[in-house]
């Protein structure tokens, strides 16, 4: 009973966090926050799924959560390059150990492509210990072999538009002074 109450409490807090996202998965802080926000939501759901298999099935089919998970590939403009806004850095640093399972659970080809990056980020402090251990023990050997530029366009309603080709990408960002992390 106590464990069930703790899980319900946690899911309520997680639900409040997710409620601040729009249906298209847009993160106003920029793609650098993906590892600390969007992907952390998935990591938590994955822990609960491992503890109680099948318990997160409905959440893994939620379109809003899938859009949140696909935010990173949707702002990628080829290779390890990202559109930068908010607190974003231009280079993609990811951990395939968590992105690959997210791609599988959310049935997302763009996430599976991100997982085939050869370099990954484990961070510089103890906060990333779980990422490092997951990379050692949970990362499958069968990563996809190729990456594409991504879709020809990504549009986040009234916020950001990205247009891509093999040789050129352009992004258009709207904003206001009240946006969080609007630097």
């Amino acid at each position: 009973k106590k464990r069930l109450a703790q899980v319900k409490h946690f899911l309520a807090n997680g639900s409040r966090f997710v409620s601040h996202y729009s249906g298209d998965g847009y993160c106003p802080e920029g793609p650098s926050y993906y590892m600390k926000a969007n992907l952390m939501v998935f990591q938590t759901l994955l822990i609960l799924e491992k503890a109680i298999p099948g318990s997160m099935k409905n959440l893994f089919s939620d379109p809003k959560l899938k859009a949140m998970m696909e935010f990173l590939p949707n702002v990628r403009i080829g290779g390890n390059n990202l559109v930068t806004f908010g607190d974003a850095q231009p280079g993609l640093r990811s951990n395939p150990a968590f992105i690959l399972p997210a791609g599988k659970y959310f049935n997302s080809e763009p996430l599976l492509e991100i997982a085939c990056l050869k370099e990954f980020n484990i961070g510089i402090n103890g906060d990333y210990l779980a990422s490092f251990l997951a990379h050692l023990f949970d990362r499958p050997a069968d990563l996809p072999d190729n990456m594409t530029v991504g879709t020809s366009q990504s549009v986040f309603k009234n916020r950001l538009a990205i247009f891509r080709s093999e040789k050129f990408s352009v992004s258009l960002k709207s904003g206001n002074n009240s946006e969080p992390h609007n630097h």
Side-chain angles (χ1 to χ4, degrees), residues 75-149:
V75 295
R76 187 173 67 86
I77 53 175
N80 291 343
N81 301 306
L82 300 171
V83 170
T84 59
F85 63 92
D87 286 338
Q89 301 166 357
L92 172 62
R93 289 192 249 158
S94 66
N95 187 336
F98 290 120
I99 293 176
L100 184 62
K104 289 184 177 183
Y105 277 102
F106 285 99
N107 194 26
S108 170
E109 189 65 34
L111 283 171
L112 294 174
E113 284 189 6
I114 293 283
C116 73
L117 289 171
K118 303 304 180 214
E119 296 178 17
F120 69 97
N121 179 33
I122 59 169
I124 56 173
N125 59 36
D127 190 34
Y128 290 88
L129 182 59
S131 295
F132 179 72
L133 293 174
H135 184 73
L136 287 177
F137 298 108
D138 291 340
R139 184 176 184 220
D142 62 338
L143 293 174
D145 290 330
N146 61 337
M147 286 182 78
T148 64
V149 171

Side-chain angles (χ1 to χ4, degrees), residues 31-49:
S32 294
Y33 275 74
Y34 183 82
M35 298 300 283
K36 283 295 190 186
N38 305 38
L39 197 57
M40 196 156 287
V41 169
F42 172 73
Q43 291 171 354
T44 304
L45 297 176
L46 184 60
I47 290 169
L48 294 171
E49 177 66 23

